[in-house]
């Protein structure tokens, strides 16, 4: 796939997502020839969006785009946060999408969407899914990323 509109070789132009999944995947993003990468954001529960990921991947492929699930998270106490993150990451990885959770930071805000190493259960889930993602394949090719 050639990207004559790239700022520099290997640098993709992305949308940066939206407030939620619906405004992250507007048709204009898929139609714009200057956009390479569609960023998907959502803080809704996994049940409201996991069934849509396959269609998003198909639309992106048909449009010559790639997708990253780049802003999401879970709130709540440790056990519920880690369970929610696990459900979200399982859905995203089944769809073959790369991901970047919001936010890994210190200090961790236990009841917010942030997490950090001291949030043991949630950190373990993030770490495990990151290892799985690196080891597995995906829905898109990322030649810019050395293996």
């Amino acid at each position: 796939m050639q990207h004559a509109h790239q700022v520099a070789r290997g640098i993709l132009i992305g949308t940066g997502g939206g407030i939620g999944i619906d405004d992250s995947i507007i048709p204009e993003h898929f139609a714009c020839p200057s956009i390479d990468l569609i960023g998907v954001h959502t803080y809704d529960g996994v049940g409201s969006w996991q069934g849509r990921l396959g269609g998003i991947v198909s639309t992106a492929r048909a449009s010559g785009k790639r997708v990253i699930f780049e802003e999401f998270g879970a709130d709540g106490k440790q056990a519920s946060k880690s369970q929610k993150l696990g459900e979200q990451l399982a859905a995203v990885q089944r769809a073959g999408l790369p991901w970047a959770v919001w936010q890994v930071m210190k200090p961790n805000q236990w009841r917010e969407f942030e997490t950090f190493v001291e949030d043991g259960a949630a950190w373990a889930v993030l770490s495990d899914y990151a290892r799985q993602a690196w080891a597995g394949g995906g829905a898109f090719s990322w030649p810019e990323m050395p293996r």
Side-chain angles (χ1 to χ4, degrees):
M1 181 183 327
Q2 293 293 332
H3 300 282
H5 57 274
Q6 289 180 336
V7 175
R9 181 171 165 74
I11 297 176
L12 304 178
I13 306 299
T15 62
I19 295 171
I21 200 163
D22 288 327
D23 56 355
S24 294
I25 59 167
I26 60 175
E28 291 83 359
H29 289 165
F30 294 98
C32 180
S34 296
I35 293 175
D36 303 297
L37 183 62
I38 308 293
V40 175
H41 297 186
T42 186
Y43 288 94
D44 295 331
V46 68
S48 69
W49 52 261
Q50 68 180 336
R52 300 175 66 189
L53 295 180
I56 293 169
V57 168
S58 295
T59 302
R61 283 182 175 153
S63 304
K65 312 292 183 198
R66 291 182 266 174
V67 176
I68 182 171
F69 203 81
E70 66 177 352
E71 189 175 312
F72 67 99
D75 60 355
K77 296 181 181 174
Q78 282 189 332
S80 66
K81 182 185 276 191
S82 63
Q83 178 183 349
K84 291 176 196 174
L85 281 172
E87 292 168 355
Q88 292 170 342
L89 290 166
V92 171
Q93 287 188 192
R94 275 193 305 273
L97 297 176
W99 52 268
V101 69
W102 172 272
Q103 285 180 349
V104 176
M105 63 177 279
K106 185 172 184 153
N108 176 37
Q109 299 298 319
W110 298 98
R111 288 181 174 72
E112 299 294 332
F113 292 98
E114 297 89 8
T115 193
F116 197 65
V117 295
E118 70 249 340
D119 191 354
W123 187 257
V125 167
L126 285 173
S127 299
D128 184 49
Y129 276 97
R131 281 189 291 277
Q132 291 176 39
W134 188 250
F140 303 99
S141 171
W142 300 90
E144 307 83 9
M145 298 288 293
R147 293 288 289 169

